[in-house]
Amino acid sequence: MNDNNDSTLPTSLRATTDTTDNVAMGAATTNPTNMMINSYGKEQMKMTASSNALKQSLKLENLEEFDKLPYEIHRYSSFSTNYVPENILVDCPSDQSSRWSAHNNNPPQYLTLKLRRPAIVKKIKFGKFEKSHVCNIKKFRIYGGLDEEHMILLLEGGLRNDHIPETFNLRCVAKDATTSLPILYIKIVPLLSWGPTFNYSIWYIELMGQDDPMYTSGCLKDYNKLREVEIIRLCLKHFRQQGYDTAFKALQDQTHVQLEHPLISELHQCLVINGDFEKAEKFISDCIEEGLMDDYLNRQDYKHAWRLQHVQGFAQPGNRGGHQLVMDVKKRLIYLFGGWDGFQDLSDLWVFDIKDNYWTQIFEHSEQFNGPTPRSCHKMVFDPVSENIFMLGRYLDNSIRTTEYIKSDFYLYDTRARTWLQICDDTCQVGGPQLMYDHQMCIDVEKRTIYVFGGKVLTPRSVNASTTSEPEYSGLFSYHIATNTWTQILVDCHHPTASQPDVLSIKSRITHCMVFHNKKRKLYIYGGQRGKEDIHDFITYKVDTQTLEILNRHPNSNDQTGSTGNNNGNGSSVSSNSGSSGSSNPPHSSDGKNEPSPGYTLRATIDCERNEIYVFSSLSKIKDRRDIHHVDASNSFWVYSLDTHQWSRIYTSRYNPSSPDSTKFDNSRNNLMEPCPRYAHQFVYDDMAKLHYMFGGNPGRSTTPQLRLDDFWILELEKPKRDEILKHCRYLLRKLHYEEMAKADPYKAMHYLRHQIAEVIDHSNPEQLRNFHRLASLLFKCDEDTKTEERPLNTLPLGGATTSMAASTSANEDKSLTEAECSSDMASTTDDEVCVKSEDNTHAPDDLSMESCSSSTTSGISDAASSYSAYRKSGGKRSRHSYIQELRARRSFLFNKLVQLMPSNMVQPERNLSDFVII
């Protein structure tokens, strides 16, 4: 008996303002910050109403009707023998040769289609061969555009390996979410075939949409207008960055296009032009208080913190694995039942009181009180309505698998009365599943329904001895609590009835994880194994409509395990279950960066309010070895956002075998204590306190195979808070203010450093403390004349504030630097590295300096004359021209960093005009 096969149960402000809406906002307002923030919310309501009205008008014009769109083959990467691209124009599912097949599966392979005229393409339909085929494309991307050299992603998905044609919706609106997106070229890029070593094949393509010129002409006009506005905004951004103030104002006055929301323009005027740091700080504080940076905070990864829970009292569950945990969130209780202690199965029931931090044993031997017999690898769910615990399944050693003993008993524990009840002696006899283990259970509280999916079916010893058939896997079942009835929803794909047309089937598995979203009414199933095959599917099952959907939308174009030349795979020599070969090089595998490895240690939970699924991954299977001393042994934690459909890896901690404690180890990066990698552990989530609890498990020690753990851990996840981002912004503003002071008045700067900057520093943080100490060195830096100077472009107007900013442009737009890097770099960079060089004052008479001063004053650079005078008196040697350039360059750099924290629809375009110029 062992527990090796155990597995357990497992925004913010972003307005819908589009570019054309920004045009109608007018010039920058002079209202106070708070009034502007409030008015901004009202503007968004008007814009949303306008958007809804536009969508309604489209429906009234009956533009929802689709037509089949004719197209021709425009370009292709390759083709094999007679499998020419033109074959996809005809739908012949019974003809195996009626398809396009690439010459090989070496990327990039593609097929470009050209429509007869620009159209709004709504759907694409893939035809298939009359039966499953290894050359069907499992993953693909589709691009589209008016120019084949500039296409955008329209769809990322995959086909099922069956004979049923599939239709997909294509992206048909522009970035503003209201303007239709005209398409002339469609590019299909296969990424992976169902037989990983086989070439890609497409049997038939049908495009649906609208290409009537009476409709598309208006769409093209709107789309081109949207592009024109975006081009103007890019020019405005470039002019302002480079200091072409006159050109900036002229273009804005003539086109009435705003670069950004007036609120952001006011921040630019306040910080970059006027250098009013105190007002800029108040401005940022108001924005944070009104929630304008909440979207940025929500996009940040969680910070994690493990802590070992030291409970009160001496009574607590002992070492075990393959046990089960469920949680009563309202009463703050965690229940634990059974498991394998390394020598025998257990039937004890425990409850942990979170408020009192105390374990209590309810039953030592539950079978003596009409409860379940000792077991492991079972599953439990807690019903918060009745406060009952339901238990199903178990693992049996092969030596005791007799016909009389293999029964799927089903139990209920009443937490109020503290009594056990056997609901059913054998669920298989009443329409439920056979006895299985390593399945998953979830409860739909609203509909009073329990869902059971997967697991390996246990069969009598005599059956195993007389047959060589592959193991049986259980399908998807539902149990209705109120009526005490079982229903089989989906059978396993290898079930004898799966081939019948009216029977729905699914590829069943073990070691997967499954959670239920009570608002979306969906089951989410991730990963798992079937035999030696790792299953990478992430699927949902909508319980009300009985529909399945694949969520893996980020395929890796390099997933192929190799090429077989001209192997077109007619399917005659390859079994339909060809996925096992994929385990040699699975997409997004163990240290893949895109999603967790589908190993046998995944534990998943869900937060329906946050729309997030959490997956904890520990020991991974490596060539069927389960040894923690392997170099790849680690813990990792993942979050899947149901809003963005993206995985995020919160952390990965490698195991240190030399750790003195066998149950925990140090994360060498931040010296945090972590639980050691394991399997057969249990993981539950407290969605009220937003905490995870983990107990016990098998550490996988090959030297001590009987060893089980009894450690109890709490995992806390926390997003950055408003006060943290406010403190960070204050530090950046005050730091720049100090740097300017240090050049003009070192004594004043020293006082500012000791008081204003010191109060926004976390002195317990070594990195922040080092940066703080580094700032003091600026007081002792000397400013030396530059020996080589660059003259400004002849097209630039005279005046210090309107000189070339070319050297600062790259710094302004360096999106790869984090705020921390920005802080560190600005502290350590010399003046000569960040300023834009100009003519030395030895080559310019004093009257030109006065002219420069006058020009800079009218442009709004605050206190230019007085600060420059103080700068020269302190020993500075730069010209006034260069000095003012440096001020503006540094302030612009900080401005760009601050606006990255604002909603994207409020700020200037992310890209630059220079990004499109290649020389």
Side-chain angles (χ1 to χ4, degrees), residues 603-859:
R603 301 292 182 264
T605 60
I606 188 170
D607 191 315
C608 299
E609 293 180 359
R610 293 177 172 175
N611 277 336
E612 292 176 336
I613 296 174
Y614 310 106
V615 174
F616 176 66
S617 176
S618 197
L619 282 183
S620 297
K621 177 183 286 188
I622 304 164
K623 297 180 180 179
D624 293 328
R625 289 174 48 194
R626 299 176 177 180
D627 191 347
I628 195 172
H629 294 287
H630 194 280
V631 293
D632 288 335
S634 64
N635 291 331
S636 62
F637 195 88
W638 301 74
V639 176
Y640 182 80
S641 170
L642 296 173
D643 296 325
T644 64
H645 301 288
Q646 291 183 343
W647 285 102
S648 175
R649 179 164 56 182
I650 304 304
Y651 78 96
T652 296
S653 296
R654 295 291 177 184
Y655 173 64
N656 179 12
S658 62
S659 174
D661 193 322
S662 62
T663 64
K664 55 183 180 291
F665 65 96
D666 288 330
N667 180 342
S668 57
R669 183 174 181 179
N670 53 19
N671 201 33
L672 293 176
M673 299 306 296
E674 303 269 350
C676 72
R678 63 194 67 201
Y679 58 90
H681 52 289
Q682 298 311 316
F683 207 60
V684 292
Y685 180 58
D686 180 355
D687 57 7
M688 183 179 296
K690 309 301 182 185
L691 298 174
H692 283 89
Y693 294 85
M694 184 178 74
F695 184 89
N698 186 337
R701 299 297 179 90
S702 57
T703 55
T704 53
Q706 288 79 28
L707 176 63
R708 300 297 181 270
L709 304 174
D710 65 347
D711 49 347
F712 192 28
W713 293 85
I714 297 179
L715 173 64
E716 183 175 4
L717 302 173
E718 189 175 35
K719 292 273 190 180
K721 297 180 180 178
R722 287 183 180 180
D723 59 344
E724 294 180 49
I725 193 68
L726 175 59
K727 195 172 184 179
H728 176 69
C729 292
R730 281 176 172 168
Y731 169 73
L732 294 178
L733 287 164
R734 294 183 186 186
K735 176 177 174 294
L736 181 58
H737 193 190
Y738 162 78
E739 289 170 346
E740 293 186 9
M741 283 185 187
K743 297 179 181 300
D745 190 343
Y747 180 79
K748 184 179 179 181
M750 181 175 65
H751 186 272
Y752 189 83
L753 178 66
R754 292 177 60 187
H755 295 87
Q756 270 66 35
I757 296 185
E759 72 177 18
V760 294
I761 289 290
D762 181 2
H763 294 272
S764 63
N765 186 314
E767 183 178 355
Q768 290 191 30
L769 200 58
R770 282 194 300 270
N771 290 334
F772 177 66
H773 292 158
R774 190 182 297 129
L775 290 176
S777 65
L778 295 179
L779 297 171
F780 308 100
K781 283 189 176 180
C782 60
D783 182 84
E784 298 181 357
D785 290 328
T786 54
K787 296 184 178 180
T788 59
E789 303 291 345
E790 296 179 2
R791 291 181 176 273
L793 295 174
N794 293 331
T795 56
L796 285 173
L798 295 177
T802 55
T803 359
S804 172
M805 303 286 290
S808 66
T809 302
S810 60
N812 289 344
E813 303 309 321
D814 187 358
K815 303 296 183 183
S816 64
L817 287 177
T818 63
E819 288 77 22
E821 291 171 334
C822 164
S823 171
S824 176
D825 292 345
M826 290 178 66
S828 59
T829 304
T830 63
D831 298 336
D832 293 337
E833 290 172 328
V834 296
C835 77
V836 181
K837 300 175 182 178
S838 62
E839 294 188 29
D840 190 281
N841 61 351
T842 58
H843 302 288
D846 291 342
D847 57 349
L848 286 182
S849 295
M850 292 300 294
E851 181 183 359
S852 175
C853 174
S854 174
S855 177
S856 65
T857 302
T858 57
S859 68

Side-chain angles (χ1 to χ4, degrees), residues 365-640:
H365 301 287
S366 296
E367 67 275 17
Q368 298 177 4
F369 299 89
N370 300 319
T373 55
R375 62 190 61 204
S376 61
C377 302
H378 51 290
K379 292 296 175 287
M380 301 193 311
V381 293
F382 178 78
D383 178 15
V385 175
S386 63
E387 298 185 15
N388 292 334
I389 296 173
F390 294 86
M391 182 188 302
L392 180 69
R394 62 186 304 192
Y395 177 82
L396 289 178
D397 191 81
N398 189 57
S399 61
I400 57 175
R401 293 183 193 175
T402 62
T403 305
E404 297 77 14
Y405 200 54
I406 295 184
K407 291 185 178 180
S408 178
D409 49 7
F410 189 31
Y411 283 91
L412 174 151
Y413 175 72
D414 188 335
T415 62
R416 297 171 181 170
R418 294 202 168 192
T419 57
W420 285 102
L421 172 66
Q422 187 180 63
I423 302 174
C424 180
D425 178 58
D426 190 357
T427 56
C428 179
Q429 302 300 318
V430 292
Q434 297 173 265
L435 179 61
M436 73 287 193
Y437 67 94
D438 217 352
H439 50 293
Q440 291 298 329
M441 289 175 61
C442 293
I443 184 168
D444 176 2
V445 178
E446 179 184 343
K447 296 295 180 68
R448 315 292 296 128
T449 301
I450 296 174
Y451 292 95
V452 182
F453 172 66
K456 187 176 291 187
V457 175
L458 290 174
T459 53
R461 192 175 44 197
S462 57
V463 174
N464 285 339
S466 61
T467 181
T468 58
S469 62
E470 65 176 29
E472 295 181 40
Y473 293 88
S474 184
L476 176 63
F477 290 82
S478 68
Y479 172 74
H480 191 235
I481 298 174
T483 59
N484 189 27
T485 55
W486 283 94
T487 303
Q488 182 159 18
I489 303 172
L490 302 172
V491 301
D492 177 52
C493 59
H494 286 180
H495 192 272
T497 63
S499 59
Q500 299 179 9
D502 58 340
V503 176
L504 300 176
S505 64
I506 188 173
K507 191 172 189 177
S508 192
R509 61 202 69 188
I510 60 173
T511 72
H512 54 293
C513 50
M514 181 175 77
V515 292
F516 180 73
H517 197 300
N518 54 27
K519 297 178 181 177
K520 294 181 179 290
R521 313 279 308 142
K522 289 182 178 180
L523 288 169
Y524 292 87
I525 303 168
Y526 179 75
Q529 293 173 314
R530 188 182 178 102
K532 294 184 178 180
E533 174 192 0
D534 288 337
I535 301 177
H536 298 265
D537 290 344
F538 186 17
I539 60 178
T540 70
Y541 177 77
K542 197 165 186 178
V543 297
D544 296 332
T545 59
Q546 296 190 354
T547 54
L548 284 167
E549 179 185 0
I550 300 176
L551 292 182
N552 301 65
R553 297 182 179 179
H554 305 281
N556 189 335
S557 60
N558 296 321
D559 287 340
Q560 292 85 349
T561 58
S563 172
T564 56
N566 294 332
N567 185 358
N568 290 297
N570 57 21
S572 59
S573 61
V574 180
S575 69
S576 60
N577 186 15
S578 59
S580 60
S581 59
S583 61
S584 62
N585 187 20
H588 323 306
S589 60
S590 56
D591 58 357
K593 300 177 181 178
N594 299 310
E595 59 186 38
S597 167
Y600 62 94
T601 61
L602 300 183
R603 301 292 182 264
T605 60
I606 188 170
D607 191 315
C608 299
E609 293 180 359
R610 293 177 172 175
N611 277 336
E612 292 176 336
I613 296 174
Y614 310 106
V615 174
F616 176 66
S617 176
S618 197
L619 282 183
S620 297
K621 177 183 286 188
I622 304 164
K623 297 180 180 179
D624 293 328
R625 289 174 48 194
R626 299 176 177 180
D627 191 347
I628 195 172
H629 294 287
H630 194 280
V631 293
D632 288 335
S634 64
N635 291 331
S636 62
F637 195 88
W638 301 74
V639 176
Y640 182 80

